[in-house]
Each structure stands twice: as structure tokens, then as C-alpha cells.
Amino acid sequence: TQVEEQIKIDPHLASAVGIVRALTSVISKSVATTLMGLREELEKEVNILKQSSPGNVTMSSGCDLFMQFVTRTSGLESSNFEETKRSLIDRGEQFARRMNQSRDKIADLAAPFITDDSVILVHGYSRVVLAVLVQAARAGRNFHVMCTESRPDGAGFQMAQAILDSCKQLPGQQTPAVEVISDAAVAAVMDQVSLVICGSEAIVENGGIINKV
């Protein structure tokens, strides 16, 4: 899909940003002559994306957010449909930029919660969680990270290696201690844990998160 192509070009790209860019590309290439026709093309592409990854919460929520934010009709009144399309494309690009910047903003806000000698428990692989840990290491904090294996895909091993690789690139900073534990060992180590940091596939209206856990 176009989303997969976007992520292959930039492996650090969040899936949601890839979705926004792919749907913005649909607007750019559209031959529709009315807003209704364009929306039908977008809804068709959204259905294809959702069907390509059934049960993928990121895919579903990314598509829904795009349709709500980019295609809302307020401010789109224009007798020239090409101007309307350009406005929609600008909105899509603006939305992608905001989403792309959110990881760094979260890292800046969350890193101060990690103090020296903290023991951090993480589950699965999350680019945002990785950014938080790297930002804390960049600030000179010494901490220990426990990564659950995260079966069945073993994402914990990927996370552990990513933490080590990313922190080794920080000039003059000590690389945090990282270990992989079995998923079943969480109860046994929880009394040692200072902080649990968990990524999310989606954030719901009441502030709760949806995660692979």
C-alpha cells in the first residue's frame, strides 16, 4: 500500500504519518470535480487501507482522524474547486507535520520523569518510548531498562537493541543498562520497577490507551 511505501522510504516514520501522507497523495492525484466526489475517492482509499490491515487500530484511527481534520467543510467555500483541493492538500501536509513533531514533544515532556537510578519497564517496540529513553540518556540520566520479550513477535528484543544502538550514538553519555525479561516475569520484577512506559496504538476520549497488551 502507499502507507507501506512511505514507511519503507523513512523507517522512522510513524505509521499514522504514513497514512496521512498517503491520503493527501490521493487528493493530489484526484480527478474529481466536486468535494463530494473527492470525499468518495478518499473513503474508497480508506476502506482499502483498513481492509489491508484488519484489526490494526493505528490504521483505523489514522484514517478516521484524517477524514475528520482534513475534509471538514468549514473554510473550504470556494467557487474554484482547484483552490479547494489545494486547501485540502495544505491541511493534509500541516496535519502530517504536526504528527511528525509530536514524538519529539512527547520525549521532551516525558524525559524529566526518568531520574537517576530509575528502573524502567517497557513492553513491545515503540518509537515514542524509544525517543523518551534516548532523550533521558541525552540529559545524562543513568537508568536501567527492562524490556519484556513481548511474545509472540518478540518485539522486546528489537526494543532492547534499538535502545542500545541509539544511546551509543550519544556523545559523552553513558549507555543505560538494558535487559530482556520474559513476559511472565513481570510480576516477579515489578517491586524493582520505578516507572512503566508503554506505547499506544490509539488514545481514546477518556484518556485511556489501546496497546498490544
Side-chain angles (χ1 to χ4, degrees):
T1 65
Q2 292 186 56
V3 177
E4 292 168 334
E5 290 173 5
Q6 292 276 0
I7 294 172
K8 284 178 182 177
I9 294 170
D10 181 1
H12 299 291
L13 187 71
S15 298
V17 179
I19 292 165
V20 170
R21 288 184 179 175
L23 292 174
T24 302
S25 177
V26 172
I27 298 174
S28 301
K29 298 174 182 177
S30 173
V31 294
T33 57
T34 64
L35 190 59
M36 182 177 293
L38 179 58
R39 189 176 183 89
E40 288 175 356
E41 286 186 21
L42 284 169
E43 288 175 346
K44 182 179 179 180
E45 184 67 22
V46 163
N47 289 333
I48 292 172
L49 288 173
K50 289 182 177 180
Q51 290 170 13
S52 69
S53 301
N56 186 323
V57 178
T58 300
M59 184 73 77
S60 179
S61 60
C63 289
D64 292 343
L65 281 171
F66 180 91
M67 295 298 287
Q68 290 176 19
F69 176 79
V70 177
T71 66
R72 66 180 190 271
T73 56
S74 60
L76 290 178
E77 297 80 4
S78 173
S79 57
N80 186 332
F81 187 67
E82 287 303 313
E83 289 183 6
T84 299
K85 280 180 63 176
R86 281 195 293 272
S87 296
L88 290 170
I89 293 168
D90 288 343
R91 281 187 184 178
E93 292 173 348
Q94 178 189 20
F95 194 28
R97 283 194 299 272
R98 286 184 182 177
M99 296 177 78
N100 222 13
Q101 294 166 356
S102 63
R103 188 186 304 162
D104 291 338
K105 289 183 179 179
I106 292 169
D108 288 340
L109 292 169
F113 288 94
I114 299 177
T115 57
D116 280 334
D117 301 320
S118 293
V119 178
I120 314 299
L121 177 67
V122 301
H123 180 77
Y125 178 81
S126 165
R127 295 181 182 91
V128 178
V129 173
L130 176 60
V132 172
L133 297 174
V134 172
Q135 183 71 353
R138 184 179 287 113
R141 312 264 165 61
N142 297 316
F143 54 92
H144 182 108
V145 184
M146 294 183 179
C147 302
T148 58
E149 289 179 312
S150 188
R151 298 292 177 181
D153 62 1
F157 294 98
Q158 180 188 3
M159 185 66 175
Q161 192 60 53
I163 295 168
L164 292 173
D165 291 345
S166 299
C167 291
K168 282 177 182 176
Q169 298 175 17
L170 299 176
Q173 299 298 339
Q174 180 177 333
T175 302
V178 180
E179 66 175 309
V180 179
I181 63 172
S182 71
D183 296 336
V186 169
V189 303
M190 189 57 77
D191 63 339
Q192 306 169 38
V193 172
S194 316
L195 188 66
V196 178
I197 307 180
C198 190
S200 65
E201 296 294 326
I203 300 173
V204 296
E205 289 181 357
N206 67 1
I209 67 170
I210 299 173
N211 179 272
K212 66 182 294 181
V213 182

